[in-house]
């Protein structure tokens, strides 16, 4: 039994302004216009018949989006495990391994980050089969990427003696090098990029984790043992998991174990870790420019230009990344794209919403998008999926006007329940309990005008919610 473990807990801050904390890169259609990186990760396993349904580990804030994206591709997870806080890969893999052990004591894990691109699927499948041979011998396998250029953005793995099945004993892990050291690694050979993909028996990993990082093992086990089922999710115990030390599988286990194996691979891998990395995945014109969206260029070279909403025009520039969204524009030199993360940190330190949310925010029932706002009002476009409903709620500081522009709404307002059709409107007074539902077969679209002294999203008191939310 090979169980994929999809790690979907990152925020992808280097791909801001598209990637936001509450809508991170793995949920975005960055490479394939028809599928997110998460969906691509799950879809590429369909062609490999030896695997079971995946275990997905994600941030609890992303749970409904993850579940919805899996539903869209008709690939349900064996389990979606919710992390109350991020604690890096060692604890995340530990709770997945504990879950897998409930399914089979011989379960084998194929650990895959949710945000990578792989273009050579047959080579990928072949590497998994080699990994399976080593994992059956109680080895811990990591997949190294054969470098095609000196790269300073990745860590490296140095291989030593051959162990058969294309595997090598791991000599050591090497931190991200400078340019000269990276060039030396490529020239010398035997060094491979650290892909962050692994394969091993769940029992073997847990035994090695207990041997080398017992504090992580104990905290992860307690968080798993005290986990609660919540709808389609497994919610880890918050106190136990929050107390777990934060560490990667590399530091906690792989650098210490004597069971480590690296399998060098050439699978068309890209970690989609920066705008420069993403640009490598898109076709470019004769002058090296990649254009996505409504873009016009003149006298421009070696640029990545992406427009999400508006016309983007560039004249006389070189080696730039320009990304436009409805609330932010990024302009960065290609050599500085790793520093985009520092912009996100600054936004966060100033408590600006742009690090966390887009104008369009997804909810389990649909989405809402900010259209306009001022001191005492804001206007939103709301879409409710067929059959979905918002919570029964009230607000202390605002009243709301709803204008239906498509579909039919069922509205609860106080003691009344009634339908609102297209081109009709209704008023929700301040302090009144209310609920919005879509009883129809098509999406419900409406314009909401909020007015009051405070318009924050935290001014919601929920009385009943089909999604189990309290905030």
């Amino acid at each position: 039994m090979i169980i994929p473990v999809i790690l979907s807990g990152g925020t992808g801050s280097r791909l801001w302004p598209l990637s936001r904390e509450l809508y991170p890169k793995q949920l975005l259609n960055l490479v394939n216009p028809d599928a997110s990186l998460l969906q691509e990760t799950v879809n590429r396993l369909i062609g490999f018949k030896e695997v079971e349904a995946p275990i997905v580990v994600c941030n609890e804030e992303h749970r409904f989006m993850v579940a919805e994206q899996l539903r869209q591709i008709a690939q349900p997870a064996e389990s979606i495990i919710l992390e109350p806080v991020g604690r890096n890969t060692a604890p995340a893999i530990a709770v997945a391994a504990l879950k897998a052990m409930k399914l089979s004591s011989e379960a084998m894990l194929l650990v895959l980050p949710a945000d990578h691109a792989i273009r050579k699927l047959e080579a990928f499948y072949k590497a998994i089969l080699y990994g399976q041979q080593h994992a059956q011998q109680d080895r811990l396998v990591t997949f190294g990427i054969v470098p095609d250029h000196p790269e300073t953005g990745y860590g490296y793995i140095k291989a030593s003696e051959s162990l058969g099945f294309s595997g090598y004993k791991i000599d050591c892990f090497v931190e991200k090098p400078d340019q000269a050291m990276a060039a030396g690694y490529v020239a010398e050979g035997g060094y491979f990029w650290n892909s962050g993909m692994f394969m091993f028996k769940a029992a073997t990993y847990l035994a090695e984790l207990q041997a080398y990082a017992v504090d992580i093992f104990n905290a992860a086990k307690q968080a798993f043992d005290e986990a609660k089922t919540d709808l389609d999710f497994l919610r880890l115990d918050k106190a136990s998991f929050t107390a777990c030390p934060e560490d990667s599988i590399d530091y906690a286990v792989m650098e210490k174990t004597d069971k480590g194996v690296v399998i060098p691979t050439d699978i068309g891998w890209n970690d989609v870790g920066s705008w420069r990395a993403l640009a490598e995945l898109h076709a470019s014109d004769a002058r090296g420019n990649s254009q996505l969206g409504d873009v016009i260029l003149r006298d421009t070279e070696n640029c990545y230009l992406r427009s999400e909403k508006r016309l983007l025009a560039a004249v006389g520039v070189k080696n730039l990344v320009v990304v436009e969204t409805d609330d932010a524009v990024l302009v960065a030199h290609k050599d500085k794209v790793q520093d985009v993360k520092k912009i996100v940190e600054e936004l966060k330190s100033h408590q600006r919403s742009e690090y966390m949310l887009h104008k369009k925010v997804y909810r389990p029932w649909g989405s809402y998008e900010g259209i306009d706002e001022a001191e005492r009002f804001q206007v939103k476009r709301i879409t409710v999926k067929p059959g979905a409903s918002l919570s029964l709620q009230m607000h202390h500081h605002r009243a709301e006007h709803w204008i239906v522009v498509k579909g039919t709404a069922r509205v609860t307002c106080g003691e009344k329940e009634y339908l609102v059709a297209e081109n009709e409107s209704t008023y929700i007074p301040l302090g009144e309990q209310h609920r919005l539902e879509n009883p129809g077969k098509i999406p419900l679209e409406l314009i909401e005008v909020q007015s009051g002294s405070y318009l924050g999203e935290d001014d919601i008191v929920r009385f009943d919610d089909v999604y189990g939310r309290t905030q």
Side-chain angles (χ1 to χ4, degrees):
M1 171 181 289
I2 299 177
I3 302 176
V5 174
I6 312 297
L7 302 179
S8 185
T11 59
S13 57
R14 289 183 179 86
L15 287 174
W16 184 89
L18 275 189
S19 182
R20 308 283 174 104
E21 188 167 295
L22 293 185
Y23 199 50
K25 67 173 181 174
Q26 62 267 27
L27 303 179
L28 299 173
N29 297 12
L30 291 177
V31 178
N32 182 342
D34 300 318
S36 71
L37 293 175
L38 170 65
Q39 290 171 323
E40 288 270 277
T41 300
V42 176
N43 278 338
R44 74 173 59 104
L45 296 171
I46 296 173
F48 191 76
K49 303 302 182 183
E50 288 79 4
V51 301
E52 306 290 330
I55 294 172
V56 180
V57 185
C58 72
N59 186 310
E60 65 178 23
E61 295 288 351
H62 306 153
R63 64 194 185 280
F64 294 113
M65 290 179 285
V66 168
E68 173 64 14
Q69 290 200 358
L70 296 178
R71 186 199 64 79
Q72 289 172 357
I73 60 174
Q75 295 294 320
E78 169 62 43
S79 179
I80 300 177
I81 301 177
L82 305 182
E83 295 180 302
V85 293
R87 284 296 178 260
N88 214 317
T89 54
I93 297 169
V95 295
L98 290 164
K99 174 61 180 179
M101 290 289 287
K102 295 286 187 180
L103 303 174
S104 169
S105 61
E106 293 297 313
M108 190 176 296
L109 306 184
L110 173 62
V111 180
L112 303 171
D115 53 3
H116 291 182
I118 293 175
R119 288 168 287 184
K120 300 179 181 179
L121 291 186
E122 291 304 319
F124 175 57
Y125 300 152
K126 189 174 182 179
I128 294 173
L129 291 174
Y130 285 140
Q132 184 179 22
Q133 298 298 321
H134 289 284
Q136 285 173 344
Q137 299 177 51
D138 292 329
R139 292 169 177 160
L140 304 180
V141 177
T142 184
F143 297 95
I145 306 301
V146 178
D148 56 10
H149 66 276
E151 174 60 57
T152 60
Y154 304 141
Y156 285 69
I157 301 170
K158 183 180 181 182
S160 60
E161 63 185 272
S162 174
L163 297 172
F165 297 110
S166 293
Y168 295 83
K169 188 173 181 179
I170 296 173
D171 182 280
C172 63
F173 285 76
V174 182
E175 293 293 334
K176 297 176 182 178
D178 58 27
Q179 189 65 34
M181 291 181 65
Y185 294 159
V186 174
E188 181 181 340
Y191 287 85
F192 308 99
W193 294 336
N194 187 351
S195 71
M197 300 186 296
F198 303 90
M199 194 168 186
F200 35 65
K201 288 181 181 178
T204 305
Y205 173 72
L206 291 172
E208 294 300 279
L209 183 68
Q210 189 172 19
Y212 296 109
V214 67
D215 49 350
I216 293 178
F217 174 86
N218 289 337
K221 188 174 187 305
Q222 184 175 352
F224 179 81
D225 289 343
E226 298 179 9
K228 299 290 190 294
T229 300
D230 178 5
L231 299 176
D232 296 329
F233 311 105
L234 184 66
R235 187 183 292 273
L236 298 173
D237 179 67
K238 184 174 183 178
S240 302
F241 201 74
T242 301
C244 183
E246 183 175 355
D247 207 352
S248 71
I249 180 177
D250 293 341
Y251 287 126
V253 175
M254 296 301 294
E255 292 188 2
K256 300 170 182 175
T257 183
D258 59 0
K259 297 182 178 182
V261 175
V262 59
I263 297 179
T265 61
D266 179 8
I267 55 177
W269 175 86
N270 187 309
D271 75 338
V272 198
S274 68
W275 287 113
R276 185 164 194 156
L278 183 59
E280 295 173 358
L281 295 170
H282 289 288
S284 58
D285 61 22
R287 304 190 72 177
N289 300 305
S290 297
Q291 307 172 48
L292 295 95
D294 191 5
V295 177
I296 296 177
L297 305 181
R298 290 291 183 273
D299 190 26
T300 294
E301 296 181 12
N302 195 32
C303 288
Y304 178 87
L305 303 114
R306 185 172 190 136
S307 169
E308 296 292 306
K309 294 285 186 179
R310 293 160 288 190
L311 170 65
L312 172 59
V315 181
V317 295
K318 297 180 180 180
N319 301 318
L320 293 183
V321 168
V322 184
V323 181
E324 177 274 340
T325 67
D326 55 358
D327 64 345
V329 177
L330 169 71
V331 181
H333 194 280
K334 278 192 172 182
D335 291 342
K336 295 292 184 179
V337 291
Q338 294 290 343
D339 292 338
V340 172
K341 185 176 183 179
K342 297 178 181 177
I343 296 293
V344 177
E345 291 169 353
E346 184 170 349
L347 292 171
K348 193 170 184 177
S349 70
H350 289 92
Q351 298 183 328
R352 295 194 54 148
S353 63
E354 291 91 345
Y355 86 90
M356 181 180 291
L357 297 167
H358 284 280
K359 287 287 187 181
K360 187 172 185 178
V361 178
Y362 291 89
R363 290 289 185 255
W365 46 260
S367 64
Y368 67 84
E369 182 176 3
I371 299 173
D372 194 13
E373 61 181 308
E375 184 178 350
R376 288 186 57 87
F377 80 89
Q378 65 178 343
V379 183
K380 293 181 177 179
R381 177 187 292 113
I382 295 177
T383 302
V384 184
K385 294 183 290 188
S389 67
L390 282 69
S391 58
L392 180 66
Q393 59 185 254
M394 61 86 73
H395 311 294
H396 290 294
H397 303 287
R398 71 174 185 252
E400 297 175 345
H401 299 259
W402 296 343
I403 304 118
V404 175
V405 296
K406 180 181 177 181
T408 299
R410 179 186 291 127
V411 176
T412 300
C413 184
E415 299 298 321
K416 298 179 181 179
E417 183 178 296
Y418 51 93
L419 297 178
V420 182
E422 290 182 9
N423 301 317
E424 295 180 346
S425 63
T426 191
Y427 170 64
I428 309 297
L430 181 153
E432 192 75 82
Q433 288 191 26
H434 59 277
R435 187 196 298 269
L436 174 64
E437 303 174 70
N438 180 3
K441 302 296 184 182
I442 64 173
L444 166 65
E445 296 182 8
L446 58 97
I447 302 299
E448 177 183 82
V449 181
Q450 302 176 355
S451 60
S453 59
Y454 179 73
L455 306 172
E457 282 300 308
D458 53 350
D459 181 24
I460 297 178
V461 179
R462 288 193 170 96
F463 300 97
D464 178 60
D465 185 71
V466 296
Y467 309 105
R469 298 171 298 167
T470 58
Q471 298 181 347

